[in-house]
Amino acid sequence: MGWARVTAMPAAILAAMALLAGVLLVQWLPKLPPHWCLGLLLLCAVLLAWRFPRWRWLAYVLLGIVWAAWRGGLSMDARLPRALEGSDFVVLGAISDLPQVRTDASSFTLRVEQATLDGKPVALRGRISVSWYNDAPPVQPCARWRLLLRLKRPRGLRNPGGADSERSALERGISATGYVREDPANVQLGGVPWCVDGVRDAIARGIVARVHDPHDAALLRAFSVGDTRGLDQHDWEVARANGVPHLIAISGFHVGVSAVFGVWLAIFAYWLWPQLGLWLPRPQAQAAAALLTAGVYSALAGFGLPTVRTLLMIAVVALARCSRRGSSGPQSLALAMIAILLVDPLAILAAGFWLSFVGVSFLMLCLQARGRGLRAFVHELSAGQLVMTVSLLPLTQWFFGEASLVGALSNLIAVPFVSFVIVPFALVGMLLLALCPPLATPVLWLAAQLAHAQWWLLEQMATWPGAHWYLPTVQPWALLLATLGAWWIFLPRGVPLRWLGLLLFLPLLSPPRQLPLDGAFQVWVLDVGQGLSVLLRTRDHVLVYDAGARYPSGFDLGESVVLPSIHALGITRLDMLMISHADNDHAGGAKAVATAFPQAQKYAGEPARMTFPMQQCVAGQSWQWDGVRFRVLSPAADALSGKGNDRSCVLLVEGRAGRMLLTGDISSKMEPQVAAALGPGMPPVLLVPHHGSKTSSSGAFIAAVRAPFAVVSAGWRNHFGHPKPEVLARYAEAQVPVFNTAEQGAVPLDFPMDAGARRERGWRQRQPRYWRE
């Protein structure tokens, strides 16, 4: 872009792009700059804006850097001090958003008002993510509580393709996470007056009382007030398979429909009372009604990013209408972006920010008006879905690791039906709940039936080929090239060689891969918290050893960690699933993995305790893949009558130049047998038995194995204290370095065919960011 074009760009658009660039730059920093540096940058920005108008865009970039760094620093300073992690605090606060109540526990977000430790005030600010186990009392939104909480800093799992929960915590303002401790002084202190979340909860309860099918009621709650508490993992899978999660939790398009609803109300009011025109001109009244209705609906939706973006755009248009000034779509979008970045620059960390603004920008750039009427509407709707599907494909893969090839068709059907049929009925039903509750029942029932029919269709389409399309981890340069390619494809007709834009998608669709050679293999000890999962790949085969836990809340590490890691590494087939033993921290996620890869062979140390059929692993079993030999060392055939940790499948993997020993949860009782079965060969890399429990890793076993280094899978600050200090001392005495997934994240290991094993950087050390623990 030439210099003249930069300076000729409308001021709002130039300012938005420059401010966005500055805010974005900060999010790539491993460490925030010191305050004196921010002060210097601010001074430079002021001088540029004052003395050099042609460089004003650079002043906006510097202002974005200063503002984002300062706000990021405030949010990081608000986090619980590291020295106080694991302590019990007395916290007074109010419940924000809608709490999740389950049979086993309740989870909610507590906005801190006051905190004390041992009777002394603590400077704890922001919001806390809280779980309440063991017969938790009913927890209502907007309630104020006095609670005894055990807290720690927000810390997530770090794996290939995994979600960055620490980034999410920063964006949401979460300063600590924890759980409620039993204390007779845990009491409710009343409620918060004028709380929108209380209204949302009341509407959700009104829907449940009038719609008898729980799933239909859950869908209608999501469409009406963004309450997704009633949706389970299967529902979100259906939504992702169809590319419609934006419709489930209220989208910006719904807010636009609510604004139109406000315009209709204004028209109806002026039809009933024409004399209103003497007090306020009808165009201004319609603009104000649209803004008011959209604002109320956005509040009921929880002010998600897409709704806020649409609300701000409506506000710009409404204010321009009221002041009798014009405002183009791009200028309105730019002003909405500036407003969001000024109010909350950390909003840039959310996927919704990028999907919302990039999607709308592509629609404005690529769609050309084709008159009015039904034909033009159908053309714009179908072309719009194609533009959105192609343009958001790179970002969807970047944030979620998957996309839907049927999403364009699903959205073509679902967007108009949900937005123009279900949502208007839901709006009328919500209005009647406040004005005349008996009349709300038939309206909400009809809306629920329509939602049921729509969901049935989406469930059928979710089974079509291409509904779940996975690609390896997207690199930043591939993301930029694919986005540029999407823009090139949708240039106006007459522009030559538009098809060349497809070539820019190639780095995204077919990234370079480094597969092991014959006789070599790769290993990833995944970060699954207090559990175990190991992913192993030879040239043409893949094995998963254990799959992490599945918790009563429904959180499944097989689904949330193991499968995304498989997809992110470009693996499309699983040959074997081996579960060392049936304890939940090893076997809980196995069913999700087995369901995703039904053709894989399945072995387990305790098949009778598994929830699906598996074969027994027995010492002496062996096979070879691509020049790599696999041998089961334990349990012996005459030791299958017992149960528990010592029934673990112990697997030795032998490449041409390196070996690895996967030990499950065996105790020191089984270690001599395993050490004796190792046989001649290079000392193997050791997976520390039983997460470093004091009942394992005897000195004799460590000396017999002679591992060059070891890896232990454990949870951060787990309540077992694994790995035990005395166990780590034994490894240190034997000069065996130990690498912990709790500190490293997922630990990648490489066993080349012509050199010894080497450990690569853990996932927590890759791409360091200032918000990561």
Side-chain angles (χ1 to χ4, degrees), residues 65-226:
I65 293 173
V66 172
W67 178 234
W70 185 69
R71 284 293 300 270
L74 286 180
S75 297
M76 292 301 296
D77 291 341
R79 286 189 176 180
L80 181 72
R82 287 187 174 87
L84 301 182
E85 283 192 288
S87 302
D88 290 343
F89 298 81
V90 175
V91 179
L92 275 68
I95 295 177
S96 62
D97 212 339
L98 299 177
Q100 180 76 45
V101 180
R102 305 185 304 272
T103 55
D104 63 303
S106 296
S107 56
F108 52 90
T109 302
L110 191 71
R111 189 175 62 254
V112 178
E113 299 174 358
Q114 179 183 334
T116 59
L117 175 64
D118 298 330
K120 299 178 181 179
V122 177
L124 181 62
R125 309 186 304 275
R127 310 195 317 161
I128 301 175
S129 180
V130 180
S131 296
W132 196 335
Y133 306 100
N134 302 326
D135 301 323
V139 179
Q140 300 296 331
C142 308
R144 295 180 66 250
W145 283 84
R146 182 269 188 202
L147 297 171
L148 181 65
L149 303 177
R150 177 159 295 179
L151 300 177
K152 64 179 181 180
R153 292 167 68 90
R155 189 181 181 93
L157 308 176
R158 294 295 300 145
N159 293 282
D164 191 342
S165 59
E166 293 164 27
R167 181 187 69 195
S168 176
L170 181 66
E171 181 262 325
R172 293 167 52 214
I174 301 296
S175 57
T177 64
Y179 60 92
V180 179
R181 301 273 287 168
E182 291 188 14
D183 185 3
N186 290 336
V187 292
Q188 184 174 341
L189 303 176
V192 177
W194 305 105
C195 178
V196 174
D197 290 323
V199 178
R200 297 175 65 200
D201 185 65
I203 294 174
R205 286 187 280 108
I207 292 173
V208 171
R210 289 162 177 81
V211 178
H212 300 301
D213 184 280
H215 188 257
D216 292 349
L219 289 173
L220 195 56
R221 286 159 54 191
F223 291 141
S224 301
V225 292

Side-chain angles (χ1 to χ4, degrees), residues 456-506:
W456 176 86
L457 180 60
L458 292 177
E459 285 183 320
Q460 308 311 306
M461 298 178 74
T463 63
W464 291 3
H468 291 283
W469 186 36
Y470 301 101
L471 291 174
T473 298
V474 178
Q475 300 299 322
W477 60 274
L479 171 70
L480 292 175
L481 285 178
T483 303
L484 179 61
W487 171 76
W488 196 338
I489 290 170
F490 292 112
L491 286 174
R493 289 184 178 181
V495 176
L497 303 177
R498 289 191 301 163
W499 60 271
L500 288 177
L502 295 173
L503 297 179
L504 297 180
F505 275 84
L506 290 180

Side-chain angles (χ1 to χ4, degrees), residues 412-436:
L412 183 61
I413 299 170
V415 167
F417 189 73
V418 171
S419 300
F420 296 125
V421 180
I422 297 177
V423 169
F425 275 109
L427 288 172
V428 173
M430 291 162 57
L431 188 61
L432 290 174
L433 277 175
L435 300 179
C436 184

Side-chain angles (χ1 to χ4, degrees), residues 569-651:
L569 294 170
I571 296 170
T572 58
R573 187 187 71 182
L574 180 64
D575 297 279
M576 182 179 294
L577 172 64
M578 179 175 287
I579 302 300
S580 63
H581 63 301
D583 285 359
N584 179 59
D585 58 332
H586 295 251
K591 190 171 184 179
V593 178
T595 302
F597 297 99
Q599 80 288 348
Q601 299 181 67
K602 303 171 186 66
Y603 287 90
E606 298 177 285
R609 291 179 59 199
M610 299 297 296
T611 58
F612 58 95
M614 300 190 76
Q615 301 180 60
Q616 175 70 57
C617 65
V618 181
Q621 293 171 334
S622 65
W623 65 95
Q624 187 163 315
W625 289 341
D626 311 316
V628 179
R629 187 185 181 197
F630 297 77
R631 287 196 292 135
V632 177
L633 307 185
S634 183
D638 58 357
L640 301 179
S641 57
K643 65 177 182 178
N645 293 343
D646 285 337
R647 281 281 299 272
S648 294
C649 300
V650 177
L651 182 66

Side-chain angles (χ1 to χ4, degrees), residues 261-277:
F261 186 74
V263 172
W264 289 347
L265 289 178
I267 292 174
F268 181 69
Y270 273 74
W271 177 76
L272 284 179
W273 299 288
Q275 61 271 27
L276 288 175

